[in-house]
Amino acid sequence: AVPGVASLPQSAPLVVPAQEQRWFYNHPDGSQRRVPPSWKFPSGTLLELYTLWHLGDPQNQISPMKYFSTSDVSFCGKRSRMSLSEARGLANALDREVIKAGRSISPNMSQAELVELFRFAVNGIDMPLQTPTGRQRDIFRLKWSTFTKYKINSKEEENSEEVEGLEATQ
């Protein structure tokens, strides 16, 4: 069980129209992108990112991020392409956990259905239930960029252990 799961607020179902992936905006440089010129790369929680990844932001006519290309976010700053790549990696990792749990991801799911899939996904993630300071971790409050850094650090630690193991055998 993941801390914070029971306390997640339930919102009204939000059904996303399939045509939403076709929203495009004209930009000052003459290009068309899936986001308006005023759009900023989201810095919210892992659940917010997962929601934007699959459902987008219909109220603001933003397509699901899974349809974004690097050119859609390239105007957002130096890190925008890397952020999109990190977001894609996180969403794909969560999707893999959903599939491992025997669930499927529907292109027309509601927000409530997505939250349910997210619960399955986070239960499969290898993440300490306590923060480095000893506090109980609430996965629903965790910023997605923090989770990315955590996963990157874990991989670096695993890689350094593998290198040390190889050096010891040689």
Side-chain angles (χ1 to χ4, degrees):
V2 175
V5 170
S7 65
L8 182 70
Q10 295 296 319
S11 58
L14 171 66
V15 178
V16 180
Q19 72 272 15
E20 145 177 30
Q21 66 191 10
R22 298 190 196 119
W23 287 324
F24 284 89
Y25 298 87
N26 293 322
H27 281 252
D29 65 1
S31 63
Q32 281 197 327
R33 296 183 171 101
R34 287 186 172 88
V35 294
S38 60
W39 190 81
K40 303 283 184 226
F41 209 95
S43 61
T45 66
L46 189 55
L47 176 57
E48 290 166 347
L49 176 75
Y50 198 58
T51 301
L52 291 171
W53 187 261
H54 283 290
L55 303 180
D57 182 359
Q59 288 80 13
N60 292 308
Q61 297 185 335
I62 305 294
S63 300
M65 289 179 69
K66 64 184 172 184
Y67 299 116
F68 287 13
S69 68
T70 55
S71 63
D72 289 322
V73 299
S74 61
F75 72 97
C76 292
K78 294 179 185 178
R79 257 199 66 58
S80 61
R81 291 179 187 190
M82 179 61 81
S83 293
L84 181 60
S85 177
E86 290 169 350
R88 181 174 284 116
L90 284 174
N92 288 339
L94 292 171
D95 287 349
R96 281 192 299 276
E97 293 302 324
V98 166
I99 292 165
K100 279 185 199 175
R103 299 301 194 121
S104 61
I105 298 164
S106 166
N108 295 317
M109 66 185 139
S110 69
Q111 188 169 7
E113 290 168 324
L114 180 103
V115 169
E116 183 67 21
L117 293 180
F118 182 79
R119 291 172 193 244
F120 281 101
V122 297
N123 280 326
I125 291 174
D126 183 25
M127 177 115 189
L129 296 179
Q130 289 191 340
T131 67
T133 61
R135 288 184 306 127
Q136 189 75 6
R137 187 179 308 277
D138 183 352
I139 196 81
F140 290 97
R141 293 184 57 202
L142 183 68
K143 298 286 186 187
W144 73 267
S145 57
T146 302
F147 186 74
T148 300
K149 290 175 189 170
Y150 172 80
K151 294 303 277 183
I152 290 170
N153 290 339
S154 296
K155 286 182 183 178
E156 288 171 358
E157 289 171 13
E158 289 170 12
N159 290 340
S160 67
E161 288 172 9
E162 288 174 16
V163 169
E164 288 172 9
L166 285 175
E167 290 171 354
T169 60
Q170 291 178 350

